[in-house]
Amino acid sequence: MNDIKKIVLTGGPCAGKTTALVRIIEHFSNLGYKVFTIPEVPTLFTQAGMNYLTKNKGFFYEGEKATLEIQLALEDKFMRMAQECTEQPCLIVCDRGTMDISAYMNPETWADITRAVGTTSPELRNRYDAILHLVSAADGAEQYYTTANNAQRNEPMTEEGLKIARSLDKKVIRAWNGHPHLRVINNHDDFEAKMRRVLKEISSVLGLPQPIEEERKYIVEVTGQLPEDCIESDITQTYLQGEPGTEIRLRKRAWDGKYVYVHTTKKQQSATEELVVERQINNSLYEMLLGLADPSRKTIRKHRHSFIWQGQFFEVDTFQDQLHGLIILETKGIAQGEPVKFPPFLKAIKDITGDKEYYNFNLAKK
């Protein structure tokens, strides 16, 4: 069967999704992929007469339930079409996915709808190989924020509208939290850098070797209150035995009583390129693979706070056990020469970007 990858392109209002879709089609079609794009279902429904701002609870419920059902049906039909394209690899890109729907209602209504449709949030997340979240221009690139290019957008062009857009942005990220390949694409002073990051992340999902890019890392001190809307999780990382030049990692991530297990292999292809293969596994396989743990390395445990600050995505890891007291700030996707917008509640102690001593793989050494 054709190896088909399905990704979701999502994000807050005015994030650049429309432009990104065009770039994706052009770029990967030129590489020989058959690219299918599934349209944004809520927009189709709005154009057909659905009012998502209605006060009529019954109408809202039926409309949202139908939105999820049509989203699932479209994805399934396009998957079957792609399976018949045996002469070339296929890529399915969803303009928003099933979990986006949950961001626009309370958890109780979402639970009722998924139960009625016969599915669950974890099952819906697992339908996709990757989730790419483009940060809204309302957060860190306000000068580019506009509602003029989307007649279905309801946020007013005011400071209050910007707050609503930022809130929606964070709700959508939280809805997808737990997917092993959720990537948040920052805003940049250069919009082209944002688009290049989208193409790079999809290339990684497709198994194409990628340029080695250093993630910005800093040892920090927490000097104030972290944002209330942080996504918090506990991470356990165990390194497995492997051939020289290959890093094999097991990761267990826990949040809100839920668990996700991921197996990652990194292999350096050359001095400038590496191949990263990431797959979600179940608890049974995770427990079995723990038997292959590298005896020369300790398990790493850390508590993570993830949040957006002025259009940039940050992860603050507070290490435990043998690394107690170490706090590392990490941010991905910041272009070369672009400054890091340090939050005022964090104090940078040391820039460790590119310092191999602080790679998790090396921190785990006994």
Side-chain angles (χ1 to χ4, degrees):
M1 185 180 292
N2 190 2
D3 184 21
I4 303 163
K5 299 297 184 183
K6 181 166 62 174
I7 69 160
V8 171
L9 193 65
T10 185
C14 195
K17 286 196 302 101
T18 302
T19 302
L21 278 169
V22 173
R23 301 290 180 87
I24 291 167
I25 294 168
E26 292 178 350
H27 182 81
F28 292 101
S29 294
N30 288 338
L31 292 178
Y33 284 83
K34 174 64 178 175
V35 182
F36 294 98
T37 57
I38 297 177
E40 186 175 334
V41 176
T43 297
L44 296 179
F45 269 50
T46 301
Q47 293 169 343
M50 173 60 190
N51 175 16
Y52 289 103
L53 300 179
T54 180
K55 300 296 184 182
N56 184 328
K57 292 183 179 180
F59 177 44
F60 177 81
Y61 174 88
E62 290 300 332
E64 291 285 20
K65 179 171 173 284
T67 301
L68 176 57
E69 290 170 332
I70 296 301
Q71 177 80 41
L72 292 169
L74 278 173
E75 291 179 11
D76 290 344
K77 294 297 183 183
F78 274 90
M79 179 62 76
R80 289 175 189 144
M81 291 162 56
Q83 288 169 351
E84 297 301 320
C85 296
T86 56
E87 70 279 1
Q88 62 185 135
C90 290
L91 172 64
I92 299 176
V93 184
C94 304
D95 187 349
R96 299 198 181 279
T98 51
M99 288 303 299
D100 284 79
I101 302 169
S102 70
Y104 294 83
M105 68 187 75
N106 62 54
E108 294 74 23
T109 302
W110 177 245
D112 288 343
I113 289 174
T114 52
R115 191 180 305 113
V117 175
T119 187
T120 64
S121 291
E123 288 178 357
L124 293 175
R125 292 188 189 97
N126 290 341
R127 292 172 62 86
Y128 311 98
D129 295 286
I131 313 299
L132 305 187
H133 180 101
L134 279 64
V135 176
S136 170
D139 200 334
E142 291 83 355
Q143 66 272 31
Y144 302 116
Y145 182 81
T146 178
T147 61
N149 60 346
N150 189 339
Q152 313 308 322
R153 188 167 291 149
N154 298 305
E155 305 81 32
M157 281 294 294
T158 61
E159 181 55 38
E160 182 60 27
L162 290 173
K163 289 181 181 178
I164 293 172
R166 292 178 194 128
S167 176
L168 283 172
D169 206 37
K170 293 176 174 63
K171 285 181 179 178
V172 172
I173 291 179
R174 188 171 291 277
W176 289 107
N177 185 40
H179 193 284
H181 201 110
L182 168 61
R183 298 293 184 265
V184 180
I185 312 296
N186 293 338
N187 284 318
H188 299 274
D189 293 333
D190 177 10
F191 183 72
E192 289 300 314
K194 191 174 188 179
M195 295 298 100
R196 287 194 296 271
R197 175 92 192 281
V198 170
L199 299 179
K200 176 184 180 297
E201 290 295 346
I202 296 176
S203 297
S204 177
V205 173
L206 295 175
L208 304 175
Q210 295 303 299
I212 297 174
E213 292 185 3
E214 297 291 353
E215 299 159 346
R216 305 278 188 92
K217 285 187 176 184
Y218 301 85
I219 295 176
V220 297
E221 176 185 342
V222 179
T223 59
Q225 186 67 39
L226 293 170
E228 292 183 358
D229 56 5
C230 278
I231 296 173
E232 295 189 49
S233 57
D234 289 297
I235 295 172
T236 303
Q237 284 186 185
T238 305
Y239 290 92
L240 307 185
Q241 302 175 67
E243 62 185 52
T246 301
E247 177 185 317
I248 306 174
R249 181 186 72 199
L250 283 181
R251 170 179 283 185
K252 177 172 71 173
R253 185 178 179 190
W255 83 105
D256 294 337
K258 307 178 186 71
Y259 295 89
V260 171
Y261 307 91
V262 180
H263 179 279
T264 303
T265 302
K266 294 183 180 180
K267 187 174 181 62
Q268 195 157 330
Q269 303 288 93
S270 67
T272 58
E273 287 188 325
E274 67 178 355
L275 185 62
V276 180
V277 179
E278 197 171 50
R279 64 190 178 102
Q280 188 170 349
I281 59 176
N282 60 33
N283 178 54
S284 298
L285 182 55
Y286 172 82
E287 293 292 341
M288 185 182 75
L289 290 173
L290 286 176
L292 302 175
D294 185 344
S296 68
R297 287 178 166 79
K298 291 185 178 181
T299 296
I300 285 182
R301 292 181 175 85
K302 52 190 178 181
H303 186 73
R304 172 169 290 177
H305 291 82
S306 306
F307 58 91
I308 294 174
W309 183 264
Q310 293 188 6
Q312 294 180 350
F313 185 67
F314 294 96
E315 295 173 339
V316 176
D317 288 340
T318 302
F319 288 78
Q320 300 165 3
D321 300 334
Q322 73 274 15
L323 297 170
H324 178 74
L326 177 64
I327 304 176
I328 292 180
L329 168 73
E330 184 175 318
T331 184
K332 301 179 178 69
I334 295 181
Q336 189 173 4
E338 181 181 358
V340 176
K341 300 172 184 176
F342 283 101
F345 44 82
L346 295 174
K347 178 183 177 182
I349 305 298
K350 181 180 180 182
D351 185 344
I352 56 172
T353 302
D355 188 338
K356 294 184 178 180
E357 179 184 350
Y358 290 96
Y359 287 6
N360 279 262
F361 186 67
N362 292 327
L363 288 173
K365 285 182 178 178
K366 291 183 177 178

